[in-house]
């Protein structure tokens, strides 16, 4: 049999990672409440399933948005025929407007700079391909999404140089850390072509503040390297402080805008990963032109463009969706982190994303990544929860795990929490209260409560419980 190409047969896909091994464990034994109640619960998938009831209602009221209905079939032919790789004008206009709304309408986006791709995966690869040659590198602050090792490296030959961030300052990106990574690359004779930041962060669930973003723009401007801002979780910020986009920062500071690029998608903010709607938005004319040509390899289907254009052009729907999504994410996050605190588990304080950065350092038998993997094996195969170990995110310190909380219904979440409670009891890792974990349905969380009650910096310690208001009252 003829051999595959070296690139195809190599390990550049990055799937030799516990992150993907956890998915495989789930796929071979997926949890189902009745058919497979002892199966693995998927907590490694960052997916937003909390607003589909609201989306479904809109679809029922607007059958014309679908080409496969009596109301929409008249547009079937014109949509099914050839579409160029620019994308439908109404689709690009709707995406540009939605991006602005997600950012509080503090900045406007030009529809002519919207370039579509097959999800954020395709968007990242296109940008990387256009900006760097094989052997050149991008700086990436740790911890970072494991898929970047595939998306940015596999077919481009580009390297990733970690910017080491530490728990001692809540994994903030500092100028010193950026300089250290840049100097290390130079010492290794690696040419740095850019910096990739994820804001809000995956896996931390935190956002970059305005001063940090200004420092980052100053850094890339001084080094004359590109900045890619992955902002695919922009609408998941459910609590103050509000999200600040790199597009806002460049309005406030002097910089070479040709160096600024944004990757966006609807997979996280809208919960539509199956639609494969990825976006490149660049302030660099040459990059816009190049990525638009490359988008032929991963276009968004015209049927999807038609539906998304119809949905996102409805201002009332978009405004209400953003509000409802924030409320639901806030409630789920607060209940989930509070429930973990009741069994002695802390997490990094966060206000965005579809996950938490869970702190299990005290459960390690040793402060090593080998001990982290041992603990992860127990969680996967005995507790039967697919959570992702920090080492798969290139975290510099062992004992951290990413846990997704928005990709399941309430009952599945309760089952997962019960398994965690039993695991902690068996390991005598914490003093477990005798009363049962309260049901989510008994919680009366008000989204209008003072959010700054939750925003003191640092780790959510089980020894410093959440403020005694709705949560504690709900237990009685």
């Amino acid at each position: 049999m003829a051999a595959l190409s070296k690139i195809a047969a190599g390990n550049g896909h990055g799937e030799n990672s516990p992150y993907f091994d956890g998915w495989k464990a789930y796929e071979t034994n997926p949890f189902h409440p009745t058919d497979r109640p002892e199966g693995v619960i998927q907590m490694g998938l960052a997916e937003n399933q909390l607003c589909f009831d609201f989306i479904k209602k809109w679809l029922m009221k607007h059958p014309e948005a679908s080409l496969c209905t009596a109301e929409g079939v008249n547009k079937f032919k014109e949509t099914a025929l050839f579409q160029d790789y620019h994308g439908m004008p109404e689709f690009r206009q709707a995406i540009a407007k939605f991006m602005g709304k997600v950012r509080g309408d503090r900045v406007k986006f030009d529809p002519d700079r919207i370039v579509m791709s097959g999800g954020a995966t395709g968007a990242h690869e296109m940008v990387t391909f256009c900006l760097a040659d094989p052997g050149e590198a991008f700086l990436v602050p740790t911890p970072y999404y494991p898929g970047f090792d595939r998306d940015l490296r596999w077919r481009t030959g580009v390297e990733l140089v970690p910017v080491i961030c530490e728990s001692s300052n809540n994994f903030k990106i500092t100028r010193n850390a950026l300089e250290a990574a840049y100097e290390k690359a130079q010492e290794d004779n690696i040419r740095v072509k850019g910096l990739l930041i994820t804001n809000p962060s995956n896996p931390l669930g935190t956002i970059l503040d305005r001063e940090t973003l200004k420092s980052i723009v100053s850094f890339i401007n001084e080094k004359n390297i590109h900045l890619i801002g992955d902002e695919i979780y922009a609408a998941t910020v459910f609590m103050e402080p509000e999200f600040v986009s790199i597009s806002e920062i460049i309005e406030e500071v002097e910089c070479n805008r040709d160096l600024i690029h944004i990757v966006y998608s609807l997979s996280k903010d809208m919960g539509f990963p199956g639609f494969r709607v990825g976006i490149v938005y660049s302030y660099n004319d040459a990059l816009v032109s190049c990525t638009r040509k490359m988008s032929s390899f991963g276009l968004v289907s015209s049927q999807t463009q038609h539906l998304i254009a119809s949905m996102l052009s409805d201002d009332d729907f978009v405004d209400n969706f953003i509000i409802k999504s924030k409320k639901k994410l806030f409630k789920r996050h607060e209940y989930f982190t509070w429930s973990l605190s009741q069994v002695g588990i802390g997490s990094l304080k966060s206000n965005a994303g579809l996950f938490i950065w869970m702190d299990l350092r005290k459960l390690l038998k040793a402060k090593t990544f080998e001990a982290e993997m041992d603990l992860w094996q127990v969680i996967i195969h005995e507790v039967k929860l697919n959570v992702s170990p920090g080492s798969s995110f290139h975290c510099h310190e062992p004992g951290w795990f990413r846990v997704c909380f928005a990709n399941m219904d309430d009952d599945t979440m309760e089952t997962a929490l019960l398994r965690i409670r039993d695991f902690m009891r068996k390991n005598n890792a914490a003093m477990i209260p005798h009363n049962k974990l309260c049901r989510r349905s008994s919680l009366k969380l008000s989204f209008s409560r003072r959010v700054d009650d939750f925003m003191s910096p640092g780790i959510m310690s089980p020894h410093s419980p959440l403020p005694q208001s709705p949560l504690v009252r709900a237990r009685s």
Side-chain angles (χ1 to χ4, degrees):
M1 183 176 66
L4 298 175
S5 70
K6 291 181 180 178
I7 293 177
N11 293 322
H13 51 72
E15 290 194 6
N16 297 329
S17 162
Y19 176 80
F20 294 104
D21 289 343
W23 280 60
K24 295 169 187 174
Y26 166 76
E27 289 169 357
T28 57
N29 184 27
F31 169 82
H32 187 276
T34 55
D35 297 342
R36 206 187 295 251
E38 301 303 318
V40 177
I41 295 177
Q42 175 63 290
M43 305 187 82
L45 175 61
E47 195 169 64
N48 186 357
Q49 297 185 16
L50 303 183
C51 283
F52 274 99
D53 54 344
F54 182 68
I55 294 169
K56 183 179 178 180
K57 290 179 181 177
W58 185 90
L59 292 170
M60 296 295 289
K61 291 181 180 178
H62 297 274
E64 73 282 356
S66 171
L67 302 175
C68 301
T69 62
E71 293 82 357
V73 73
N74 287 337
K75 289 194 175 182
F76 181 87
K77 181 180 178 180
E78 65 182 84
T79 308
L81 293 176
F82 174 77
Q83 304 288 338
D84 69 27
Y85 48 61
H86 287 74
M88 296 177 175
E90 60 269 30
F91 169 76
R92 289 185 285 112
Q93 290 165 7
I95 289 289
K97 189 173 183 179
F98 182 72
M99 289 177 66
K101 278 185 174 290
V102 166
R103 291 153 182 80
D105 285 323
R106 295 182 297 274
V107 63
K108 293 186 181 300
F109 293 90
D110 181 357
D112 290 335
R113 291 191 176 276
I114 296 287
V115 179
M116 60 181 173
S117 71
T121 294
H124 273 295
E125 186 184 54
M126 286 198 307
V127 174
T128 305
F129 180 90
C130 291
L131 295 181
D133 290 316
E136 295 178 334
F138 279 85
L139 305 179
V140 189
T142 64
Y144 65 78
Y145 168 54
F148 285 157
D149 293 316
R150 171 200 62 206
D151 302 352
L152 277 69
R153 297 175 61 236
W154 189 12
R155 300 195 297 186
T156 65
V158 169
E159 299 296 326
L160 300 183
V161 175
V163 178
I164 305 301
C165 302
E166 301 177 335
S167 64
S168 58
N169 68 347
N170 302 321
F171 299 98
K172 290 183 178 179
I173 304 172
T174 66
R175 181 62 183 257
N176 287 341
L178 291 171
E179 293 284 0
Y182 187 85
E183 291 173 8
K184 177 68 165 57
Q186 288 188 315
E187 292 172 4
D188 294 339
N189 293 316
I190 298 174
R191 185 184 182 191
V192 175
K193 291 300 294 288
L195 167 66
L196 167 63
I197 58 172
T198 305
N199 182 35
S201 168
N202 174 12
L204 301 178
T206 56
I207 62 171
L208 297 177
D209 60 65
R210 194 174 296 273
E211 292 308 311
T212 298
L213 287 168
K214 287 181 178 180
S215 174
I216 287 171
V217 170
S218 173
F219 172 79
I220 64 102
N221 208 50
E222 289 176 18
K223 306 297 186 187
N224 194 33
I225 61 176
H226 295 274
L227 175 62
I228 302 174
D230 180 320
E231 298 186 351
I232 68 173
Y233 290 94
T236 70
V237 179
F238 49 80
M239 193 160 53
E240 292 181 353
E242 65 186 6
F243 172 70
V244 181
S245 170
I246 198 67
S247 58
E248 298 175 55
I249 298 301
I250 63 174
E251 298 288 342
E252 302 172 8
V253 299
E254 289 289 331
C255 75
N256 179 0
R257 293 197 176 198
D258 282 345
L259 300 175
I260 307 298
H261 324 282
I262 295 172
V263 168
Y264 189 59
S265 94
L266 299 184
S267 297
K268 310 304 181 181
D269 282 356
M270 294 291 294
F272 296 162
F275 284 179
R276 309 309 302 147
V277 178
I279 299 296
V280 173
Y281 189 92
S282 176
Y283 295 87
N284 184 314
D285 292 341
L287 184 76
V288 171
S289 177
C290 183
T291 53
R292 182 159 286 145
K293 296 170 186 174
M294 286 192 67
S295 68
S296 294
F297 294 106
L299 295 175
V300 178
S301 77
S302 55
Q303 182 176 356
T304 299
Q305 290 185 57
H306 174 74
L307 172 61
I308 294 300
S310 300
M311 183 178 289
L312 298 188
S313 296
D314 185 334
D315 289 339
D316 288 340
F317 167 80
V318 171
D319 292 341
N320 287 323
F321 173 84
I322 291 173
I323 293 172
K324 287 181 181 293
S325 180
K326 289 178 184 291
K327 286 182 178 180
K328 287 180 177 289
L329 287 171
F330 173 81
K331 291 181 180 180
R332 177 63 68 90
H333 174 273
E334 292 307 302
Y335 177 62
F336 193 79
T337 53
W338 175 81
S339 297
L340 291 181
S341 76
Q342 300 308 290
V343 295
I345 297 176
S347 62
L348 187 73
K349 286 197 172 182
S350 57
N351 69 323
L354 312 173
F355 32 72
I356 64 165
W357 192 233
M358 183 169 66
D359 183 4
L360 297 185
R361 288 176 292 179
K362 69 179 182 181
L363 297 187
L364 299 181
K365 294 181 179 179
K367 294 181 180 180
T368 65
F369 288 109
E370 290 78 10
E372 177 183 278
M373 291 308 300
D374 290 341
L375 177 58
W376 176 75
Q377 290 286 349
V378 171
I379 296 173
I380 282 284
H381 297 294
E382 297 181 22
V383 187
K384 294 188 177 178
L385 301 176
N386 176 27
V387 302
S388 306
S391 55
S392 66
F393 292 85
H394 300 272
C395 185
H396 191 59
E397 305 169 26
W400 295 89
F401 293 77
R402 192 193 73 170
V403 186
C404 300
F405 59 77
N407 64 323
M408 65 192 76
D409 59 27
D410 292 345
D411 289 339
T412 302
M413 179 185 62
E414 292 291 354
T415 301
L417 289 170
L418 180 60
R419 291 182 183 184
I420 293 172
R421 179 185 176 88
D422 290 343
F423 168 70
M424 295 296 285
R425 182 189 294 115
K426 291 175 183 176
N427 284 271
N428 297 315
M431 182 65 69
I432 309 299
H434 293 295
N435 58 307
K436 296 179 179 180
L437 277 172
C438 65
R439 299 290 295 179
R440 176 175 163 77
S441 59
S442 68
L443 284 175
K444 304 298 182 184
L445 289 173
S446 170
F447 189 68
S448 61
R449 66 176 295 188
R450 282 172 50 84
V451 295
D452 51 342
D453 287 342
F454 294 104
M455 291 311 296
S456 58
I459 308 301
M460 284 178 135
S461 169
H463 306 295
S464 301
L466 293 171
Q468 291 190 2
S469 45
L471 291 169
V472 174
R473 287 199 300 271
R475 295 174 56 193
S476 59

